């Protein structure tokens, strides 16, 4: 059915705005040529240590440069995932991210933790442990500076090869984060199956922590759970100082959100980080 959707050339001449672009506007051919042209580009959103206020790291978030528009992942990931294009896209995002880590280092940024998102259900086809070993020879960064954020849109329960792949990444020294904690399949059961180092509380709870008593309790108990398990706790979706204060008071380790910055292109992130380091040192 996707193949029958309108091609770029048959789209209305007045281009829809970013927010009104939906998956059905894109054909598989659009995505394949975007991949071939290197048009799927990681942007970087800072993560802040809530206790010290220092820059902790950054999350790589992919954007599609489509003509003069920037398309957000929610509009193309479902097609990419349904068409097995997730493997070349993941590879491209990882390689570009490693390249940027080297150039940030050359620009004088201290080493930071870099998080990369993985769609767990498709991992067994990408030999990621081997791929990472090969890539780190070309881009010499320490595996302990890379965190893989595992997102589960379908259950991994019966997918032993994928569980093994993820475990092998941990054995190679990469860090593992359970993304979107509290939603979908990213739940307590996964903590028991995989050697996670970090829980990432979903922004749907963080953003409503001050207005919804249930969200507040979910955030507080997720932080408490992380403490009990001895893993790092990250809150995404911090938009206000009041929300930041609440997370600090709850004992959450790391914060991420528009309060600090949106995801930025690599060079803009580098500028942002150098400024931030000056302010926070
Ligand atoms: P995620 O991994 O949970 O990433 C966090 C999302 O929350 C990002 O959306 C980020 O821009 C957004 N966000 C962060 N702080 C705030 C805030 O303060 N307010 C609001 N309203 N939003 C905030 P984004 O970039 O649209 O990415 C959406 C999802 O797409 C990601 O959710 C992740 O699941 C997926 N994704 C992004 N990049 C990749 C990738 O390279 N590979 C894979 N497999 N998935 C990716
Ligand atoms: Mg993530
Ligand atoms: Mg998340
Ligand atoms: Mg999310």
């Amino acid at each position: 059915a996707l193949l029958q959707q309108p091609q770029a050339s048959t789209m209305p001449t007045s281009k829809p705005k970013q927010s009104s672009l939906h998956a059905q506007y894109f054909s598989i051919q659009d995505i394949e040529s975007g991949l071939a042209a290197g048009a799927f580009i990681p942007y970087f959103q800072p993560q802040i240590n809530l206790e010290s206020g220092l820059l902790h790291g950054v999350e790589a978030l992919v954007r599609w440069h489509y003509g003069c528009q920037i398309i957000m992942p929610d509009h193309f990931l479902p097609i990419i995932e349904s068409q097995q294009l997730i493997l070349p896209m993941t590879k491209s995002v990882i390689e570009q991210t490693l390249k940027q880590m080297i150039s940030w280092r050359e620009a004088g940024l201290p080493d930071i933790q870099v998080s990369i998102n993985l769609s767990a259900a498709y991992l067994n086809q990408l030999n990621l442990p081997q791929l990472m070993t090969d890539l780190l020879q070309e881009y010499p960064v320490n595996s302990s500076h890379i965190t893989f954020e595992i997102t589960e849109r379908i259950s991994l329960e019966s997918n032993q090869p994928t569980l093994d792949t993820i475990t092998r990444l941990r054995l190679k020294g990469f860090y593992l984060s359970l993304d979107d904690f509290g939603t979908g399949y990213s739940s307590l059961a996964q903590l028991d199956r995989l050697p996670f180092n970090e829980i990432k509380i979903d922004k749907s709870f963080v953003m409503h922590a001050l207005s919804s008593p249930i969200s507040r309790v979910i955030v507080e108990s997720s932080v408490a759970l992380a403490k009990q398990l001895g893993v790092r706790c990250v809150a995404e979706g911090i938009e206000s100082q009041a929300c930041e204060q609440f997370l600090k008071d709850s004992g959450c380790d790391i914060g991420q959100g528009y309060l600090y910055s949106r995801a930025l292109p690599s060079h803009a992130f580098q500028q942002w980080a150098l400024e931030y380091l000056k302010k926070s040192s």
Side-chain angles (χ1 to χ4, degrees), residues 178-199:
L178 183 54
D179 205 352
D180 304 328
F181 186 72
T183 69
Y185 291 97
S186 294
S187 60
L188 296 170
Q190 294 308 344
L191 286 170
D192 200 30
R193 274 187 209 113
L194 290 165
F196 283 106
N197 309 95
E198 178 181 292
I199 288 175

Side-chain angles (χ1 to χ4, degrees), residues 140-202:
V141 306
N142 197 307
S143 59
S144 68
H145 289 133
I146 297 175
T147 300
F148 287 111
E149 295 190 2
I150 316 285
T151 308
E152 262 195 83
R153 284 181 255 276
I154 62 164
S155 174
L156 280 184
E157 208 162 2
S158 54
N159 196 329
Q160 196 56 43
T162 301
L163 296 176
D164 291 344
T165 296
I166 295 171
T167 304
R168 277 168 61 211
L169 288 171
R170 179 70 200 110
L171 291 173
K172 284 186 180 280
F174 298 97
Y175 280 79
L176 300 178
S177 175
L178 183 54
D179 205 352
D180 304 328
F181 186 72
T183 69
Y185 291 97
S186 294
S187 60
L188 296 170
Q190 294 308 344
L191 286 170
D192 200 30
R193 274 187 209 113
L194 290 165
F196 283 106
N197 309 95
E198 178 181 292
I199 288 175
K200 204 158 173 194
I201 309 171
D202 194 67

Side-chain angles (χ1 to χ4, degrees), residues 48-53 206 209-210 216 219-220 223 235 237-256 259-260:
I48 304 298
N49 182 309
L50 290 173
E51 200 181 1
S52 66
V206 174
L210 297 178
R216 185 191 184 96
V219 170
E220 285 172 337
V223 174
I238 299 180
E239 293 189 351
S240 67
Q241 237 129 31
C243 184
E244 181 193 52
Q245 192 57 52
F246 167 70
L247 282 144
K248 278 184 189 170
D249 295 343
S250 308
C252 185
D253 303 304
I254 309 293
Q256 177 182 343
L259 175 64
Y260 312 106

Side-chain angles (χ1 to χ4, degrees), residues 200-273:
K200 204 158 173 194
I201 309 171
D202 194 67
K203 64 173 183 288
S204 61
F205 306 119
V206 174
M207 289 170 75
H208 299 121
L210 297 178
S211 56
S212 148
I214 294 189
S215 295
R216 185 191 184 96
V217 169
I218 292 174
V219 170
E220 285 172 337
S221 20
S222 302
V223 174
L225 179 77
K227 292 258 123 84
Q228 288 280 310
L229 294 172
V231 301
R232 193 159 64 205
C233 185
V234 182
E236 67 178 22
I238 299 180
E239 293 189 351
S240 67
Q241 237 129 31
C243 184
E244 181 193 52
Q245 192 57 52
F246 167 70
L247 282 144
K248 278 184 189 170
D249 295 343
S250 308
C252 185
D253 303 304
I254 309 293
Q256 177 182 343
Y258 294 171
L259 175 64
Y260 312 106
S261 172
R262 291 177 185 252
L264 300 169
S266 176
H267 199 259
F269 165 72
Q270 185 180 299
Q271 295 296 110
W272 183 96

